Amino acid sequence: MEVTTTVLSRREHFARVGSTNDVVRDWLASGTPEVCLAVADEQTAGRGRDGRTWLAPPGAALLLSLGFRPTWLAPDFVWRLPAVVSLAMARAAEEVIGAAAQTVRLKWPNDLMIDGRKVAGVLGESVGLGTDDPRVIVGIGINVNWPRDDFPADLADTMTSLLEAAGGRRIDFEGLLDGFIATVEGAIDGLRSGDFDAGDWKARQLTTDRVVELHGPAGAVDLVHAVDVDAQTGALVVRADGRERSVFSGEIRHLRVAPPERAV
Ligand code: BTN
């Protein structure tokens, strides 16, 4: 059963596509109004951040992208689109696995984590920000009915799935998707009137008060103390050498939470 939506202008479910982000980007380019949603059971060219590929066996993950035309959102606040997608998926995931609120944490900027392992990743892309035709695509892939025994060997220690988090109980994809849509629609309506749940966004951050490694584009690794996130700019607030500064997601390739024994 499909939920009745007030925000979605177009919604399609594909058995197999290259990348749902590309599907939505093409829709926006050919005039589809916001907010459009593409869902896929399988991607043959799934992309992650920083040029990485995003792989999931068919039917193991919920793969989707939302397309926006955020003329109603100042470019400085566009980071809130992936943030509300992350928050909505975190809440929908907690609902389907029967977990307490804030069991799903965020690893800045937008990884979803359970018990310190990555369960979902978000890829935000944009075209024409700052023009009168801004387009933003937010894609999310969340590992759902993917058993640990089938995890790729190189990721097995750092990833998880909702199936594992639910103690092996199979997850209802449609229930997860419906919960996500209902929540994200409310959050998008909120954003349109200037509301953003900064409290939940801050409370879920895994990095706050932890030592983290910031991996820069040229390979340099900066060890800093993450003290907070900034709900106005979307930045990670870090302290190093007695000085606080803001780190923006475009400045780094990767963030890793350092083992407890590391000190700044
Ligand atoms: C990351 O953690 O590196 C981001 C991963 C984003 C993956 C999703 S799956 C749906 C959408 N389509 C893509 O090609 N990528 C995103």
Side-chain angles (χ1 to χ4, degrees):
M1 187 194 72
E2 292 204 349
V3 286
T4 307
T5 67
T6 54
V7 169
L8 296 185
S9 60
R10 176 175 183 175
R11 172 181 173 178
E12 287 187 40
H13 193 132
F14 301 87
R16 198 169 195 234
V17 291
S19 156
T20 54
N21 268 36
D22 292 343
V23 169
V24 165
R25 192 186 49 215
D26 290 348
W27 285 353
L28 292 173
S30 58
T32 300
E34 70 166 7
V35 175
C36 45
L37 168 67
V39 183
D41 296 332
E42 183 185 4
Q43 294 183 126
T44 55
R47 289 197 303 281
R49 286 198 300 273
D50 196 37
R52 290 182 285 262
T53 52
W54 183 262
L55 298 171
L62 176 59
L63 310 164
L64 64 86
S65 300
L66 289 162
F68 300 89
R69 297 183 180 279
T71 46
W72 42 272
L73 191 61
D76 284 354
F77 286 111
V78 159
W79 65 269
R80 288 184 172 178
L81 294 171
V84 297
V85 167
S86 301
L87 288 177
M89 189 60 87
R91 292 174 192 161
E94 286 163 353
E95 183 72 30
V96 292
I97 63 175
Q102 294 175 1
T103 295
V104 180
R105 311 293 302 280
L106 300 180
K107 193 186 84 169
W108 185 89
N110 280 311
D111 284 347
L112 275 66
M113 312 285 290
I114 298 179
D115 293 334
R117 294 164 178 260
K118 181 163 171 168
V119 69
V122 175
L123 175 66
E125 297 176 314
S126 66
V127 183
L129 272 193
T131 72
D132 60 1
D133 184 19
R135 302 175 208 156
V136 173
I137 303 114
V138 181
I140 182 166
I142 179 163
N143 305 330
V144 183
N145 288 320
W146 192 344
R148 169 171 306 286
D149 287 351
D150 296 345
F151 291 171
D154 57 330
L155 298 177
D157 292 339
T158 56
M159 67 178 277
T160 191
S161 66
L162 297 183
L163 176 90
E164 293 298 330
R169 179 173 53 80
R170 281 188 76 76
I171 304 300
D172 168 23
F173 265 89
E174 285 306 314
L176 176 65
L177 181 58
D178 288 351
F180 167 75
I181 290 172
T183 309
V184 85
E185 284 197 318
I188 294 165
D189 269 340
L191 270 191
R192 284 186 175 134
S193 16
D195 295 333
F196 173 66
D197 192 346
D200 194 29
W201 182 67
K202 278 180 172 250
R204 287 182 188 269
Q205 299 294 329
L206 194 67
T207 43
T208 300
D209 220 12
R210 302 283 298 269
V211 175
V212 301
E213 297 172 358
L214 300 176
H215 294 244
V221 180
D222 209 3
L223 198 65
V224 297
H225 190 99
V227 290
D228 204 353
V229 284
D230 182 337
Q232 288 304 308
T233 64
L236 181 73
V237 182
V238 304
R239 191 170 51 234
D241 305 323
R243 205 170 56 86
E244 266 187 25
R245 66 184 164 96
S246 292
V247 178
F248 294 89
S249 59
E251 292 174 36
I252 63 158
R253 287 185 59 192
H254 184 65
L255 176 150
R256 187 163 291 137
V257 178
E261 65 276 11
R262 298 291 300 271
V264 181

PDB file of all heavy atoms in Angstrom, residues 27-39:
ATOM      1  N   TRP A  27      15.241  13.724 -14.141  1.00  0.00           N
ATOM      2  CA  TRP A  27      13.859  14.205 -13.993  1.00  0.00           C
ATOM      3  C   TRP A  27      13.843  15.724 -13.791  1.00  0.00           C
ATOM      4  O   TRP A  27      13.063  16.433 -14.424  1.00  0.00           O
ATOM      5  CB  TRP A  27      13.184  13.558 -12.777  1.00  0.00           C
ATOM      6  CG  TRP A  27      12.775  12.134 -12.943  1.00  0.00           C
ATOM      7  CD1 TRP A  27      12.817  11.370 -14.082  1.00  0.00           C
ATOM      8  CD2 TRP A  27      12.259  11.283 -11.913  1.00  0.00           C
ATOM      9  NE1 TRP A  27      12.365  10.107 -13.811  1.00  0.00           N
ATOM     10  CE2 TRP A  27      12.010  10.017 -12.495  1.00  0.00           C
ATOM     11  CE3 TRP A  27      11.997  11.463 -10.558  1.00  0.00           C
ATOM     12  CZ2 TRP A  27      11.504   8.952 -11.757  1.00  0.00           C
ATOM     13  CZ3 TRP A  27      11.490  10.404  -9.824  1.00  0.00           C
ATOM     14  CH2 TRP A  27      11.243   9.156 -10.426  1.00  0.00           C
ATOM     15  N   LEU A  28      14.698  16.191 -12.873  1.00  0.00           N
ATOM     16  CA  LEU A  28      14.725  17.633 -12.590  1.00  0.00           C
ATOM     17  C   LEU A  28      15.130  18.413 -13.839  1.00  0.00           C
ATOM     18  O   LEU A  28      14.555  19.459 -14.150  1.00  0.00           O
ATOM     19  CB  LEU A  28      15.691  17.939 -11.432  1.00  0.00           C
ATOM     20  CG  LEU A  28      15.276  17.435 -10.044  1.00  0.00           C
ATOM     21  CD1 LEU A  28      16.402  17.663  -9.040  1.00  0.00           C
ATOM     22  CD2 LEU A  28      13.999  18.118  -9.544  1.00  0.00           C
ATOM     23  N   ALA A  29      16.102  17.865 -14.578  1.00  0.00           N
ATOM     24  CA  ALA A  29      16.575  18.557 -15.790  1.00  0.00           C
ATOM     25  C   ALA A  29      15.470  18.648 -16.834  1.00  0.00           C
ATOM     26  O   ALA A  29      15.430  19.586 -17.628  1.00  0.00           O
ATOM     27  CB  ALA A  29      17.798  17.835 -16.352  1.00  0.00           C
ATOM     28  N   SER A  30      14.566  17.666 -16.825  1.00  0.00           N
ATOM     29  CA  SER A  30      13.511  17.697 -17.846  1.00  0.00           C
ATOM     30  C   SER A  30      12.208  18.296 -17.312  1.00  0.00           C
ATOM     31  O   SER A  30      11.159  18.142 -17.932  1.00  0.00           O
ATOM     32  CB  SER A  30      13.294  16.300 -18.432  1.00  0.00           C
ATOM     33  OG  SER A  30      12.953  15.416 -17.404  1.00  0.00           O
ATOM     34  N   GLY A  31      12.284  18.975 -16.148  1.00  0.00           N
ATOM     35  CA  GLY A  31      11.154  19.796 -15.709  1.00  0.00           C
ATOM     36  C   GLY A  31      10.266  19.209 -14.626  1.00  0.00           C
ATOM     37  O   GLY A  31       9.291  19.848 -14.239  1.00  0.00           O
ATOM     38  N   THR A  32      10.562  18.006 -14.161  1.00  0.00           N
ATOM     39  CA  THR A  32       9.730  17.430 -13.086  1.00  0.00           C
ATOM     40  C   THR A  32       9.762  18.360 -11.873  1.00  0.00           C
ATOM     41  O   THR A  32      10.832  18.760 -11.432  1.00  0.00           O
ATOM     42  CB  THR A  32      10.256  16.030 -12.690  1.00  0.00           C
ATOM     43  OG1 THR A  32      10.202  15.191 -13.837  1.00  0.00           O
ATOM     44  CG2 THR A  32       9.440  15.421 -11.568  1.00  0.00           C
ATOM     45  N   PRO A  33       8.594  18.692 -11.335  1.00  0.00           N
ATOM     46  CA  PRO A  33       8.596  19.563 -10.140  1.00  0.00           C
ATOM     47  C   PRO A  33       9.090  18.823  -8.903  1.00  0.00           C
ATOM     48  O   PRO A  33       9.118  17.583  -8.879  1.00  0.00           O
ATOM     49  CB  PRO A  33       7.123  19.961 -10.002  1.00  0.00           C
ATOM     50  CG  PRO A  33       6.335  19.008 -10.813  1.00  0.00           C
ATOM     51  CD  PRO A  33       7.247  18.354 -11.804  1.00  0.00           C
ATOM     52  N   GLU A  34       9.477  19.593  -7.869  1.00  0.00           N
ATOM     53  CA  GLU A  34       9.841  18.947  -6.615  1.00  0.00           C
ATOM     54  C   GLU A  34       8.573  18.521  -5.883  1.00  0.00           C
ATOM     55  O   GLU A  34       7.501  19.068  -6.183  1.00  0.00           O
ATOM     56  CB  GLU A  34      10.672  19.887  -5.756  1.00  0.00           C
ATOM     57  CG  GLU A  34       9.877  21.069  -5.186  1.00  0.00           C
ATOM     58  CD  GLU A  34      10.612  21.806  -4.087  1.00  0.00           C
ATOM     59  OE1 GLU A  34      11.778  21.519  -3.814  1.00  0.00           O
ATOM     60  OE2 GLU A  34       9.989  22.706  -3.489  1.00  0.00           O
ATOM     61  N   VAL A  35       8.654  17.642  -4.951  1.00  0.00           N
ATOM     62  CA  VAL A  35       9.778  16.800  -4.551  1.00  0.00           C
ATOM     63  C   VAL A  35       9.558  15.459  -5.226  1.00  0.00           C
ATOM     64  O   VAL A  35       8.483  14.863  -5.067  1.00  0.00           O
ATOM     65  CB  VAL A  35       9.794  16.633  -3.014  1.00  0.00           C
ATOM     66  CG1 VAL A  35      10.890  15.664  -2.578  1.00  0.00           C
ATOM     67  CG2 VAL A  35       9.937  17.967  -2.292  1.00  0.00           C
ATOM     68  N   CYS A  36      10.533  14.988  -5.999  1.00  0.00           N
ATOM     69  CA  CYS A  36      10.336  13.715  -6.694  1.00  0.00           C
ATOM     70  C   CYS A  36      11.186  12.635  -6.037  1.00  0.00           C
ATOM     71  O   CYS A  36      12.234  12.924  -5.450  1.00  0.00           O
ATOM     72  CB  CYS A  36      10.620  13.859  -8.182  1.00  0.00           C
ATOM     73  SG  CYS A  36      12.098  14.764  -8.598  1.00  0.00           S
ATOM     74  N   LEU A  37      10.703  11.410  -6.140  1.00  0.00           N
ATOM     75  CA  LEU A  37      11.330  10.292  -5.417  1.00  0.00           C
ATOM     76  C   LEU A  37      11.515   9.099  -6.343  1.00  0.00           C
ATOM     77  O   LEU A  37      10.553   8.620  -6.944  1.00  0.00           O
ATOM     78  CB  LEU A  37      10.430   9.874  -4.239  1.00  0.00           C
ATOM     79  CG  LEU A  37      10.766   8.563  -3.537  1.00  0.00           C
ATOM     80  CD1 LEU A  37      12.096   8.652  -2.793  1.00  0.00           C
ATOM     81  CD2 LEU A  37       9.655   8.171  -2.560  1.00  0.00           C
ATOM     82  N   ALA A  38      12.743   8.635  -6.452  1.00  0.00           N
ATOM     83  CA  ALA A  38      13.034   7.383  -7.170  1.00  0.00           C
ATOM     84  C   ALA A  38      13.559   6.359  -6.170  1.00  0.00           C
ATOM     85  O   ALA A  38      14.452   6.671  -5.369  1.00  0.00           O
ATOM     86  CB  ALA A  38      14.078   7.629  -8.263  1.00  0.00           C
ATOM     87  N   VAL A  39      12.987   5.159  -6.235  1.00  0.00           N
ATOM     88  CA  VAL A  39      13.393   4.062  -5.350  1.00  0.00           C
ATOM     89  C   VAL A  39      13.855   2.920  -6.252  1.00  0.00           C
ATOM     90  O   VAL A  39      13.270   2.703  -7.323  1.00  0.00           O
ATOM     91  CB  VAL A  39      12.206   3.579  -4.485  1.00  0.00           C
ATOM     92  CG1 VAL A  39      12.636   2.501  -3.509  1.00  0.00           C
ATOM     93  CG2 VAL A  39      11.556   4.737  -3.743  1.00  0.00           C
TER      94      VAL A  39
END
